Amino acid sequence: MKDIVLETCNLTKAFGTQFALDHLTVSIPRGAICGFLGRNGAGKTTAIKLMLGLLRPTVGSAFLLGCDAQTLTPEIKARIGYVTEGHRLITWMTIAKIEQFQKAFYPDLWDSQFFAEMIEYFELSPKKKIKHLSNGQRAQVSLALTLAPNPELLIMDDPTLGLDPAIRRQFLEGMIHLIMHQGRTVLFSSHILADVERVCDRLLVLDRGVLRADCTLEQFRQSVKKVRMAFKDKAPEVPDIPGLLAQRQGDNELELLLVGTPEDTITQWCQIHGATRHEIMPMTLEDQFIDFTAPAQTKRIMRWEVN
């Protein structure tokens, strides 16, 4: 049995009659690099705060490193790194001073050499004050501060938000190097799908508070397909193909968004229903994610499955 580092069971948060998170159940094993995806308002940040014990759940539970999130001990907290969006740091301090401040909370865990190497890798001066750093440089300092105590579990909530592409890539390359070198378990939330594809081996997809996908990156890439079909006569109005998520209908054409439908099933369905030709359209991870989570009102020409 795999060593589970982060686990939730029916984790739910309601604000009045609105559910920000609805019965989230996941298990993340040690060493996984897990992308946490969802549109704005999907409930990712709420889920992360519940996992860390920063919010109290309406229903359900979360366990980090075997400890209930609502009663995390100082020893367990010291083994968890948390990078928030915005990278809020004490602006009047220098990088050296903020390291000294942070180090005091981890006297037995802090790796000063590692922190120095990180700052050197990002080409930053320890004498420079936080208020004089760019957003990208603050993100880099934040990552170094989070990783210096050698956390077993690293939770990152949109850490590259607002960074320019060059700094974002440098940030991610540094993160990849450290993760691969030290084998950390990572939950990485991001709106930038190229970043997720670059660092993650597993995906959690949250849609309006509900977990819609929990699989490897490769499984998601293979599962979500867009198929275009042509017919000699009028296309079937209500396709009865397994895995149908949405459809776009023309006079003699049909475009289907399918989830988990094998290619031989698609071919067989086309033969039975008289399609003269069909093709599986190329899709990026971003294309797949957008179509998979698209709200119904933005797809007026689509028919959505009811779940």
Side-chain angles (χ1 to χ4, degrees), residues 24-76:
L24 177 68
T25 298
V26 297
S27 295
I28 300 177
R30 187 174 301 279
I33 305 173
C34 188
F36 196 25
L37 305 182
R39 291 171 175 254
N40 287 333
K44 301 188 304 299
T45 296
T46 298
I48 286 172
K49 288 182 177 179
L50 287 165
M51 292 173 187
L52 290 166
L54 302 175
L55 285 177
R56 186 171 294 278
T58 305
V59 174
S61 59
F63 288 84
L64 281 71
L65 300 167
C67 185
D68 191 317
Q70 294 301 308
T71 56
L72 292 177
T73 64
E75 292 76 17
I76 293 293

Short mmCIF file of all heavy atoms in Angstrom, two decimals, residues 24-76:
data_model
loop_
_atom_site.label_atom_id
_atom_site.label_comp_id
_atom_site.label_asym_id
_atom_site.label_seq_id
_atom_site.Cartn_x
_atom_site.Cartn_y
_atom_site.Cartn_z
N LEU A 24 -15.24 16.53 -1.42
CA LEU A 24 -13.97 16.22 -2.08
C LEU A 24 -13.28 15.05 -1.37
O LEU A 24 -12.99 15.12 -0.18
CB LEU A 24 -13.04 17.44 -2.07
CG LEU A 24 -11.65 17.24 -2.65
CD1 LEU A 24 -11.73 17.02 -4.16
CD2 LEU A 24 -10.75 18.43 -2.34
N THR A 25 -13.02 13.99 -2.13
CA THR A 25 -12.32 12.82 -1.59
C THR A 25 -11.14 12.50 -2.50
O THR A 25 -11.33 12.14 -3.67
CB THR A 25 -13.26 11.61 -1.51
OG1 THR A 25 -14.34 11.91 -0.60
CG2 THR A 25 -12.52 10.39 -1.00
N VAL A 26 -9.92 12.67 -1.98
CA VAL A 26 -8.71 12.38 -2.75
C VAL A 26 -7.66 11.77 -1.83
O VAL A 26 -7.69 11.98 -0.62
CB VAL A 26 -8.12 13.65 -3.43
CG1 VAL A 26 -9.08 14.24 -4.43
CG2 VAL A 26 -7.72 14.70 -2.39
N SER A 27 -6.72 11.05 -2.43
CA SER A 27 -5.57 10.51 -1.71
C SER A 27 -4.34 10.75 -2.56
O SER A 27 -4.28 10.29 -3.71
CB SER A 27 -5.73 9.00 -1.43
OG SER A 27 -6.82 8.77 -0.57
N ILE A 28 -3.36 11.46 -2.01
CA ILE A 28 -2.14 11.78 -2.76
C ILE A 28 -0.97 11.03 -2.12
O ILE A 28 -0.63 11.28 -0.96
CB ILE A 28 -1.89 13.29 -2.78
CG1 ILE A 28 -3.07 14.01 -3.45
CG2 ILE A 28 -0.58 13.61 -3.50
CD1 ILE A 28 -2.95 15.52 -3.47
N PRO A 29 -0.35 10.11 -2.86
CA PRO A 29 0.76 9.33 -2.29
C PRO A 29 2.07 10.10 -2.26
O PRO A 29 2.23 11.10 -2.97
CB PRO A 29 0.85 8.13 -3.25
CG PRO A 29 0.37 8.67 -4.55
CD PRO A 29 -0.69 9.69 -4.22
N ARG A 30 2.99 9.64 -1.46
CA ARG A 30 4.30 10.26 -1.34
C ARG A 30 5.01 10.26 -2.70
O ARG A 30 4.99 9.29 -3.44
CB ARG A 30 5.14 9.50 -0.32
CG ARG A 30 6.47 10.18 0.01
CD ARG A 30 7.19 9.46 1.14
NE ARG A 30 6.39 9.42 2.35
CZ ARG A 30 6.30 10.43 3.22
NH1 ARG A 30 6.95 11.56 2.99
NH2 ARG A 30 5.56 10.31 4.31
N GLY A 31 5.61 11.41 -3.03
CA GLY A 31 6.37 11.55 -4.26
C GLY A 31 5.57 12.01 -5.46
O GLY A 31 6.14 12.29 -6.51
N ALA A 32 4.24 12.13 -5.32
CA ALA A 32 3.41 12.59 -6.44
C ALA A 32 3.56 14.10 -6.63
O ALA A 32 3.73 14.85 -5.67
CB ALA A 32 1.94 12.24 -6.19
N ILE A 33 3.50 14.52 -7.88
CA ILE A 33 3.46 15.94 -8.22
C ILE A 33 2.11 16.17 -8.88
O ILE A 33 1.89 15.81 -10.04
CB ILE A 33 4.61 16.34 -9.15
CG1 ILE A 33 5.96 15.95 -8.54
CG2 ILE A 33 4.58 17.85 -9.41
CD1 ILE A 33 7.13 16.16 -9.47
N CYS A 34 1.20 16.73 -8.12
CA CYS A 34 -0.21 16.74 -8.49
C CYS A 34 -0.67 18.15 -8.87
O CYS A 34 -0.59 19.07 -8.07
CB CYS A 34 -1.03 16.21 -7.31
SG CYS A 34 -2.75 15.94 -7.69
N GLY A 35 -1.15 18.31 -10.11
CA GLY A 35 -1.72 19.58 -10.54
C GLY A 35 -3.16 19.69 -10.10
O GLY A 35 -3.96 18.76 -10.27
N PHE A 36 -3.51 20.84 -9.51
CA PHE A 36 -4.87 21.08 -8.99
C PHE A 36 -5.49 22.15 -9.87
O PHE A 36 -5.13 23.33 -9.77
CB PHE A 36 -4.75 21.53 -7.53
CG PHE A 36 -6.03 21.44 -6.75
CD1 PHE A 36 -7.04 20.56 -7.10
CD2 PHE A 36 -6.22 22.24 -5.63
CE1 PHE A 36 -8.21 20.48 -6.37
CE2 PHE A 36 -7.37 22.17 -4.88
CZ PHE A 36 -8.38 21.28 -5.25
N LEU A 37 -6.42 21.74 -10.73
CA LEU A 37 -6.95 22.63 -11.75
C LEU A 37 -8.41 22.98 -11.51
O LEU A 37 -9.17 22.20 -10.94
CB LEU A 37 -6.83 21.98 -13.14
CG LEU A 37 -5.45 21.51 -13.58
CD1 LEU A 37 -5.52 20.95 -14.99
CD2 LEU A 37 -4.44 22.63 -13.50
N GLY A 38 -8.79 24.15 -11.98
CA GLY A 38 -10.17 24.59 -11.91
C GLY A 38 -10.25 26.04 -12.34
O GLY A 38 -9.29 26.79 -12.19
N ARG A 39 -11.39 26.42 -12.88
CA ARG A 39 -11.59 27.81 -13.27
C ARG A 39 -11.68 28.70 -12.04
O ARG A 39 -11.77 28.20 -10.92
CB ARG A 39 -12.88 27.94 -14.10
CG ARG A 39 -12.78 27.27 -15.48
CD ARG A 39 -14.12 27.22 -16.17
NE ARG A 39 -13.96 26.70 -17.53
CZ ARG A 39 -14.03 27.44 -18.63
NH1 ARG A 39 -14.26 28.74 -18.56
NH2 ARG A 39 -13.88 26.89 -19.83
N ASN A 40 -11.66 30.01 -12.24
CA ASN A 40 -11.84 30.93 -11.12
C ASN A 40 -13.15 30.62 -10.41
O ASN A 40 -14.19 30.46 -11.06
CB ASN A 40 -11.87 32.39 -11.62
CG ASN A 40 -10.50 32.87 -12.03
OD1 ASN A 40 -9.49 32.39 -11.52
ND2 ASN A 40 -10.44 33.82 -12.94
N GLY A 41 -13.10 30.52 -9.09
CA GLY A 41 -14.30 30.22 -8.33
C GLY A 41 -14.64 28.75 -8.24
O GLY A 41 -15.68 28.38 -7.70
N ALA A 42 -13.76 27.88 -8.76
CA ALA A 42 -14.04 26.45 -8.74
C ALA A 42 -13.93 25.86 -7.34
O ALA A 42 -14.46 24.78 -7.08
CB ALA A 42 -13.10 25.70 -9.69
N GLY A 43 -13.20 26.54 -6.45
CA GLY A 43 -13.07 26.05 -5.07
C GLY A 43 -11.68 25.58 -4.69
O GLY A 43 -11.48 25.02 -3.62
N LYS A 44 -10.69 25.85 -5.55
CA LYS A 44 -9.33 25.35 -5.29
C LYS A 44 -8.73 25.95 -4.01
O LYS A 44 -8.21 25.23 -3.16
CB LYS A 44 -8.40 25.66 -6.48
CG LYS A 44 -8.84 25.07 -7.79
CD LYS A 44 -7.79 25.24 -8.86
CE LYS A 44 -7.39 26.70 -9.09
NZ LYS A 44 -8.52 27.54 -9.51
N THR A 45 -8.78 27.28 -3.90
CA THR A 45 -8.18 27.93 -2.72
C THR A 45 -8.93 27.54 -1.45
O THR A 45 -8.30 27.31 -0.41
CB THR A 45 -8.18 29.46 -2.91
OG1 THR A 45 -7.34 29.80 -4.02
CG2 THR A 45 -7.64 30.16 -1.66
N THR A 46 -10.25 27.43 -1.54
CA THR A 46 -11.04 26.97 -0.38
C THR A 46 -10.59 25.58 0.02
O THR A 46 -10.39 25.28 1.21
CB THR A 46 -12.54 26.97 -0.71
OG1 THR A 46 -12.97 28.30 -1.00
CG2 THR A 46 -13.35 26.42 0.45
N ALA A 47 -10.42 24.69 -0.97
CA ALA A 47 -9.98 23.32 -0.69
C ALA A 47 -8.62 23.31 -0.01
O ALA A 47 -8.40 22.58 0.97
CB ALA A 47 -9.94 22.51 -1.98
N ILE A 48 -7.70 24.12 -0.52
CA ILE A 48 -6.35 24.17 0.05
C ILE A 48 -6.38 24.69 1.48
O ILE A 48 -5.71 24.14 2.37
CB ILE A 48 -5.43 25.03 -0.84
CG1 ILE A 48 -5.09 24.27 -2.13
CG2 ILE A 48 -4.16 25.43 -0.10
CD1 ILE A 48 -4.35 25.09 -3.17
N LYS A 49 -7.18 25.71 1.74
CA LYS A 49 -7.28 26.25 3.11
C LYS A 49 -7.89 25.22 4.06
O LYS A 49 -7.49 25.13 5.23
CB LYS A 49 -8.08 27.54 3.10
CG LYS A 49 -7.33 28.72 2.49
CD LYS A 49 -8.14 30.00 2.54
CE LYS A 49 -7.33 31.17 1.99
NZ LYS A 49 -8.11 32.45 2.00
N LEU A 50 -8.84 24.44 3.57
CA LEU A 50 -9.42 23.38 4.39
C LEU A 50 -8.39 22.29 4.67
O LEU A 50 -8.30 21.77 5.78
CB LEU A 50 -10.64 22.78 3.69
CG LEU A 50 -11.90 23.64 3.64
CD1 LEU A 50 -12.89 23.09 2.62
CD2 LEU A 50 -12.56 23.73 5.01
N MET A 51 -7.62 21.95 3.64
CA MET A 51 -6.58 20.93 3.81
C MET A 51 -5.55 21.35 4.85
O MET A 51 -5.02 20.51 5.59
CB MET A 51 -5.88 20.68 2.47
CG MET A 51 -6.73 20.00 1.43
SD MET A 51 -5.84 19.96 -0.16
CE MET A 51 -7.11 19.32 -1.25
N LEU A 52 -5.26 22.64 4.90
CA LEU A 52 -4.24 23.15 5.82
C LEU A 52 -4.80 23.51 7.20
O LEU A 52 -4.06 23.96 8.07
CB LEU A 52 -3.56 24.38 5.21
CG LEU A 52 -2.66 24.09 4.00
CD1 LEU A 52 -2.31 25.38 3.27
CD2 LEU A 52 -1.38 23.39 4.46
N GLY A 53 -6.10 23.34 7.36
CA GLY A 53 -6.72 23.67 8.64
C GLY A 53 -6.94 25.15 8.84
O GLY A 53 -7.21 25.59 9.97
N LEU A 54 -6.85 25.94 7.78
CA LEU A 54 -7.06 27.38 7.87
C LEU A 54 -8.54 27.74 7.83
O LEU A 54 -8.93 28.85 8.17
CB LEU A 54 -6.32 28.10 6.74
CG LEU A 54 -4.81 27.86 6.69
CD1 LEU A 54 -4.20 28.53 5.46
CD2 LEU A 54 -4.14 28.37 7.96
N LEU A 55 -9.37 26.80 7.37
CA LEU A 55 -10.83 26.91 7.42
C LEU A 55 -11.37 25.65 8.07
O LEU A 55 -10.77 24.58 7.99
CB LEU A 55 -11.42 27.04 6.01
CG LEU A 55 -11.29 28.37 5.27
CD1 LEU A 55 -11.88 28.23 3.87
CD2 LEU A 55 -11.99 29.49 6.02
N ARG A 56 -12.54 25.78 8.69
CA ARG A 56 -13.19 24.61 9.30
C ARG A 56 -14.22 24.06 8.31
O ARG A 56 -15.06 24.81 7.81
CB ARG A 56 -13.86 25.00 10.62
CG ARG A 56 -14.43 23.81 11.39
CD ARG A 56 -14.87 24.24 12.79
NE ARG A 56 -13.74 24.65 13.60
CZ ARG A 56 -12.94 23.81 14.24
NH1 ARG A 56 -13.15 22.51 14.17
NH2 ARG A 56 -11.94 24.27 14.96
N PRO A 57 -14.19 22.77 8.02
CA PRO A 57 -15.13 22.22 7.05
C PRO A 57 -16.56 22.16 7.58
O PRO A 57 -16.77 22.02 8.80
CB PRO A 57 -14.58 20.82 6.79
CG PRO A 57 -13.84 20.46 8.03
CD PRO A 57 -13.26 21.75 8.54
N THR A 58 -17.51 22.25 6.68
CA THR A 58 -18.91 22.02 7.04
C THR A 58 -19.13 20.54 7.30
O THR A 58 -19.82 20.15 8.24
CB THR A 58 -19.83 22.51 5.90
OG1 THR A 58 -19.53 23.88 5.60
CG2 THR A 58 -21.29 22.39 6.29
N VAL A 59 -18.54 19.72 6.44
CA VAL A 59 -18.62 18.26 6.56
C VAL A 59 -17.28 17.71 6.09
O VAL A 59 -16.59 18.32 5.26
CB VAL A 59 -19.75 17.69 5.67
CG1 VAL A 59 -19.74 16.17 5.68
CG2 VAL A 59 -21.12 18.20 6.12
N GLY A 60 -16.91 16.54 6.58
CA GLY A 60 -15.74 15.85 6.06
C GLY A 60 -14.47 16.16 6.82
O GLY A 60 -14.46 16.88 7.83
N SER A 61 -13.37 15.61 6.30
CA SER A 61 -12.09 15.73 6.99
C SER A 61 -10.93 15.74 6.01
O SER A 61 -11.07 15.35 4.85
CB SER A 61 -11.92 14.57 7.98
OG SER A 61 -11.96 13.33 7.28
N ALA A 62 -9.80 16.22 6.51
CA ALA A 62 -8.55 16.19 5.74
C ALA A 62 -7.43 15.77 6.68
O ALA A 62 -7.42 16.14 7.86
CB ALA A 62 -8.26 17.57 5.15
N PHE A 63 -6.49 14.98 6.13
CA PHE A 63 -5.34 14.53 6.91
C PHE A 63 -4.07 14.82 6.13
O PHE A 63 -3.98 14.48 4.94
CB PHE A 63 -5.45 13.03 7.20
CG PHE A 63 -6.50 12.69 8.22
CD1 PHE A 63 -7.82 12.54 7.84
CD2 PHE A 63 -6.16 12.54 9.56
CE1 PHE A 63 -8.80 12.23 8.78
CE2 PHE A 63 -7.13 12.24 10.50
CZ PHE A 63 -8.45 12.09 10.12
N LEU A 64 -3.12 15.45 6.77
CA LEU A 64 -1.81 15.73 6.19
C LEU A 64 -0.76 15.00 7.01
O LEU A 64 -0.70 15.19 8.23
CB LEU A 64 -1.51 17.23 6.18
CG LEU A 64 -2.18 18.07 5.09
CD1 LEU A 64 -3.67 18.21 5.34
CD2 LEU A 64 -1.55 19.46 5.02
N LEU A 65 0.03 14.17 6.33
CA LEU A 65 1.08 13.40 6.99
C LEU A 65 0.53 12.64 8.19
O LEU A 65 1.17 12.52 9.24
CB LEU A 65 2.22 14.33 7.41
CG LEU A 65 2.89 15.09 6.26
CD1 LEU A 65 3.79 16.21 6.78
CD2 LEU A 65 3.71 14.13 5.39
N GLY A 66 -0.71 12.14 8.03
CA GLY A 66 -1.34 11.32 9.05
C GLY A 66 -2.01 12.08 10.17
O GLY A 66 -2.56 11.46 11.09
N CYS A 67 -2.01 13.41 10.11
CA CYS A 67 -2.58 14.23 11.19
C CYS A 67 -3.81 14.98 10.68
O CYS A 67 -3.81 15.51 9.57
CB CYS A 67 -1.53 15.22 11.70
SG CYS A 67 -2.05 16.19 13.13
N ASP A 68 -4.87 15.02 11.50
CA ASP A 68 -6.09 15.75 11.16
C ASP A 68 -5.75 17.22 10.93
O ASP A 68 -5.06 17.85 11.75
CB ASP A 68 -7.10 15.62 12.31
CG ASP A 68 -8.49 16.13 11.93
OD1 ASP A 68 -8.58 17.20 11.29
OD2 ASP A 68 -9.47 15.47 12.27
N ALA A 69 -6.22 17.77 9.80
CA ALA A 69 -5.89 19.15 9.44
C ALA A 69 -6.36 20.16 10.49
O ALA A 69 -5.77 21.24 10.61
CB ALA A 69 -6.51 19.50 8.09
N GLN A 70 -7.40 19.83 11.23
CA GLN A 70 -7.92 20.75 12.24
C GLN A 70 -7.09 20.75 13.52
O GLN A 70 -7.27 21.64 14.36
CB GLN A 70 -9.38 20.39 12.56
CG GLN A 70 -10.33 20.61 11.39
CD GLN A 70 -10.35 22.04 10.90
OE1 GLN A 70 -10.53 22.97 11.69
NE2 GLN A 70 -10.16 22.23 9.60
N THR A 71 -6.20 19.78 13.67
CA THR A 71 -5.38 19.71 14.89
C THR A 71 -3.91 19.45 14.55
O THR A 71 -3.24 18.66 15.22
CB THR A 71 -5.90 18.59 15.82
OG1 THR A 71 -5.90 17.34 15.10
CG2 THR A 71 -7.30 18.89 16.32
N LEU A 72 -3.43 20.12 13.50
CA LEU A 72 -2.04 19.94 13.10
C LEU A 72 -1.10 20.38 14.23
O LEU A 72 -1.21 21.48 14.76
CB LEU A 72 -1.74 20.76 11.84
CG LEU A 72 -2.43 20.33 10.54
CD1 LEU A 72 -2.08 21.28 9.41
CD2 LEU A 72 -2.04 18.90 10.17
N THR A 73 -0.18 19.52 14.56
CA THR A 73 0.79 19.85 15.60
C THR A 73 1.91 20.71 15.01
O THR A 73 2.13 20.71 13.79
CB THR A 73 1.40 18.56 16.18
OG1 THR A 73 2.15 17.90 15.13
CG2 THR A 73 0.32 17.63 16.70
N PRO A 74 2.65 21.43 15.84
CA PRO A 74 3.80 22.20 15.34
C PRO A 74 4.80 21.33 14.57
O PRO A 74 5.39 21.77 13.59
CB PRO A 74 4.42 22.79 16.61
CG PRO A 74 3.28 22.88 17.57
CD PRO A 74 2.42 21.68 17.28
N GLU A 75 4.98 20.09 15.02
CA GLU A 75 5.92 19.18 14.36
C GLU A 75 5.44 18.84 12.95
O GLU A 75 6.25 18.79 12.01
CB GLU A 75 6.07 17.89 15.19
CG GLU A 75 6.77 18.06 16.52
CD GLU A 75 5.89 18.69 17.60
OE1 GLU A 75 4.64 18.70 17.43
OE2 GLU A 75 6.44 19.18 18.59
N ILE A 76 4.15 18.62 12.79
CA ILE A 76 3.60 18.32 11.47
C ILE A 76 3.64 19.57 10.58
O ILE A 76 4.00 19.49 9.40
CB ILE A 76 2.15 17.80 11.58
CG1 ILE A 76 2.13 16.43 12.26
CG2 ILE A 76 1.49 17.72 10.21
CD1 ILE A 76 2.78 15.32 11.46
#
